[in-house]
Amino acid sequence: MTLLTLQTMRAAVSPPYNWGGEFIEQCWLVTKRAFIPLMFCTLVFSYGAPGVTGGSILATLATTDRLGAFAVMASVRELATWINGMVIAGVAGTAICADLGARKVRDELDALAVLGTDLIKTLIVPRFFALGLMTVVFNYWNTAISLVGQLIANMTVWQESAAGYLSTFSSNFTIAEVAFNTLKVLTFGFIIAVVCCYKGMNAKGGAAGVGRAVNQAVVVSFCAVYVYNYLLNSLLLGAFPETSTLR
């Protein structure tokens, strides 16, 4: 997978740049498959987990007025990015893996290679950039939905005002959070793309083999997202210790 990543990056910067059409098609594929699941999962989860359960923790300390500050840590840093990576991998990544795996077991990829087609530039590069771009785009939408879910819980369950929520949120929100948030989800998209493309292009054993490849792609993507999320959050807290303080 590391070699495939390096080959993809080299193919992306070398002419000809004839993968634009496939890139747009893959962006639309990710959009139509992931938009509604992302919106639903994020709204429900953010209302229940950080909104209600997280609020109950603050309520024991009599500090429910700081739910806006808690939203920075819960949504911007963790929840929105995590759900984004999980849904993109489970919905769009599996579709890409299944598509490439079906082509592989039908020998279509071998036929294209015999015809002189650069499989990396034609198939991998557009999917690599499409998942990277759409994961970032969805992340901002996802973060907004997550904040709305917590705001609803803040107002309906804990009887706090929207102004207080926004005030404590803005006092804790920093540029470092935005930068690490964007870097994290961009890398999520690239990781998912490489894993799913690799598993799809190396599928074997007919339809059952494609199913195994899709299952392996999802598991590996999830594990990689977990590990990378932990590492980048540790880097954020180490480089900017003030982000761990609720003000």
Side-chain angles (χ1 to χ4, degrees):
M1 293 180 190
T2 302
L3 292 176
L4 180 60
T5 304
L6 297 175
Q7 292 170 353
T8 301
M9 295 174 64
R10 183 176 61 184
V13 298
S14 58
Y17 307 104
N18 53 0
W19 41 266
E22 183 72 10
F23 167 75
I24 295 174
E25 182 177 338
Q26 293 301 316
C27 287
W28 172 241
L29 171 70
V30 176
T31 301
K32 68 181 181 181
R33 288 184 178 273
F35 180 80
I36 293 178
L38 271 172
M39 181 175 63
F40 178 79
C41 292
T42 305
L43 183 61
V44 173
F45 200 94
S46 61
Y47 176 87
V52 177
T53 306
S56 67
I57 297 174
L58 295 181
T60 60
L61 304 173
T63 56
T64 52
D65 58 322
R66 295 193 178 185
L67 276 170
F70 181 71
V72 176
M73 177 185 67
S75 288
V76 179
R77 191 182 308 166
E78 289 288 350
L79 180 65
T81 58
W82 176 76
I83 293 180
N84 197 12
M86 296 299 101
V87 173
I88 292 293
V91 177
T94 54
I96 288 174
C97 182
D99 174 49
L100 294 178
R103 296 189 190 190
K104 175 65 176 180
V105 298
R106 292 197 302 262
D107 295 327
E108 291 182 18
L109 299 184
D110 294 335
L112 289 173
V114 169
L115 292 174
T117 303
D118 187 344
L119 298 181
I120 301 295
K121 183 178 289 292
T122 304
L123 298 176
I124 308 300
V125 171
R127 288 162 173 80
F128 184 80
F129 283 118
L131 279 180
L133 173 65
M134 296 311 300
T135 305
V136 172
V137 171
F138 276 134
N139 175 65
Y140 296 126
W141 166 252
N142 220 31
T143 302
I145 292 294
S146 179
L147 295 175
V148 169
Q150 290 188 65
L151 175 60
I152 294 173
N154 183 56
M155 297 174 63
T156 58
V157 178
W158 305 112
Q159 306 302 316
E160 297 288 343
S161 66
Y165 175 89
L166 295 175
S167 176
T168 54
F169 175 83
S170 61
S171 65
N172 284 266
F173 189 65
T174 64
I175 297 299
E177 295 280 1
V178 179
F180 274 81
N181 177 281
T182 303
L183 175 62
K184 184 191 296 185
V185 295
L186 177 66
T187 314
F188 281 177
F190 290 157
I191 290 172
I192 294 166
V194 169
V195 171
C196 293
C197 289
Y198 176 85
K199 289 296 183 180
M201 295 188 70
N202 289 276
K204 56 184 177 180
V210 175
R212 287 193 297 270
V214 171
N215 182 65
Q216 292 170 4
V218 171
V219 173
V220 174
S221 296
F222 281 11
C223 291
V225 165
Y226 290 149
V227 173
Y228 186 76
N229 180 67
Y230 174 79
L231 293 176
L232 203 63
N233 283 341
S234 299
L235 179 62
L236 169 65
L237 295 175
F240 302 94
E242 66 275 8
T243 57
S244 61
T245 304
L246 296 183
R247 291 182 292 273

